[in-house]
Amino acid sequence: MAQQINLLTPILLTPRRHFSALMLLQAAGVLLVAGVALAAWLQQRDRAAERDHQQLLARLAAERQSLAVARANLPAPQDAAALQQQVLALEAGNAERAALLQALSGHAGRPGQRHSDLLDLLARSLPAPAWLGELRYTPGHVEMVGGTLDTDVLRPWLAQLAAQPLLAGQELSALRVERLGTPTAEAGNPPLLENGAALSASGLPVWAFRVVSEPARPASGVPR
């Protein structure tokens, strides 16, 4: 009787090994290196976060100190009643200045009635033999002190000034005309002493005059 003999028995083959000791060691080494690297990275992140935290705390402390200094430098609170009084005083002063500014603006804005118009007229119309040593002007009143070498030029000059719109409703009067060198003239007209005394010392006749304005009278010309 024929028999079949199988010489390739699986028991006699070398068993297959899926994980060797070397592979396990290599895998353990890779995991160890990866763990060390991860731990180093996490530690670096923690140090950076701690550094940022410390910087933030330092800035916060500096801002708190600045705030404390600013609060210490704040002025002490004032009484509301005192502040109200100050506000009322300032408002009253502003109202007075506004009224004055409005009055000056309204008066100075009309051609022919400005202060500069009067000064310009005096500069243009003052006769050559005469001069002014003092000029005072307020609304409704003009006072001039001067000197002249010829008294005949005063009357036409005053008439020309009286036609100025700024002097409407006023009369210019030569209240006093005196020969310079007399005690009364020198005492009454001190601004003329420096200019007129030199001319008087040279032998020229010098007269001191004072002109003031007064309300115009009906049917009156230039006052004598």
Side-chain angles (χ1 to χ4, degrees):
M1 182 177 178
Q3 294 184 353
Q4 184 178 356
I5 300 174
N6 189 2
L7 298 179
L8 296 177
T9 303
I11 299 176
L12 301 178
L13 295 177
T14 304
R16 182 179 298 177
R17 297 177 180 180
H18 297 280
F19 298 99
S20 64
L22 179 61
M23 292 181 63
L24 292 176
L25 289 176
Q26 292 177 349
V30 171
L31 292 176
L32 180 61
V33 171
V36 171
L38 180 61
W41 179 75
L42 292 176
Q43 186 177 11
Q44 183 179 2
R45 289 287 304 273
D46 290 341
R47 290 178 180 176
E50 180 65 19
R51 184 169 56 253
D52 295 341
H53 179 64
Q54 294 298 330
Q55 293 177 356
L56 181 61
L57 291 179
R59 287 198 300 268
L60 181 59
E63 291 178 358
R64 286 181 177 176
Q65 185 176 2
S66 301
L67 180 60
V69 173
R71 293 182 61 182
N73 293 331
L74 287 177
Q78 299 183 3
D79 185 15
L83 292 177
Q84 184 66 21
Q85 293 295 332
Q86 294 179 5
V87 170
L88 292 178
L90 291 176
E91 289 179 350
N94 291 337
E96 292 178 0
R97 294 182 182 88
L100 179 60
L101 180 60
Q102 184 178 3
L104 293 176
S105 300
H107 185 70
R110 296 190 294 270
Q113 298 185 7
R114 295 171 295 194
H115 300 175
S116 59
D117 294 331
L118 176 61
L119 295 176
D120 181 65
L121 178 62
L122 292 176
R124 290 185 291 103
S125 63
L126 187 67
W131 66 90
L132 289 179
E134 184 178 349
L135 172 63
R136 297 178 181 176
Y137 173 76
T138 56
H141 179 76
V142 178
E143 182 178 355
M144 294 178 290
V145 178
T148 181
L149 301 177
D150 185 4
T151 57
D152 293 337
V153 301
L154 294 179
R155 190 172 298 172
W157 177 56
L158 294 179
Q160 184 178 2
L161 290 181
Q164 172 70 11
L166 188 61
L167 302 178
Q170 303 180 44
E171 262 188 9
L172 296 177
S173 304
L175 297 184
R176 184 166 55 196
V177 177
E178 296 180 346
R179 177 74 177 268
L180 191 64
T182 61
T184 56
E186 293 181 357
N189 299 280
L192 301 177
L193 294 180
E194 295 183 359
N195 297 332
L199 294 175
S200 179
S202 65
L204 295 175
V206 179
W207 283 268
F209 66 89
R210 183 183 298 270
V211 179
V212 297
S213 66
E214 59 184 16
R217 292 170 293 183
S220 63
V222 178
R224 294 174 175 77

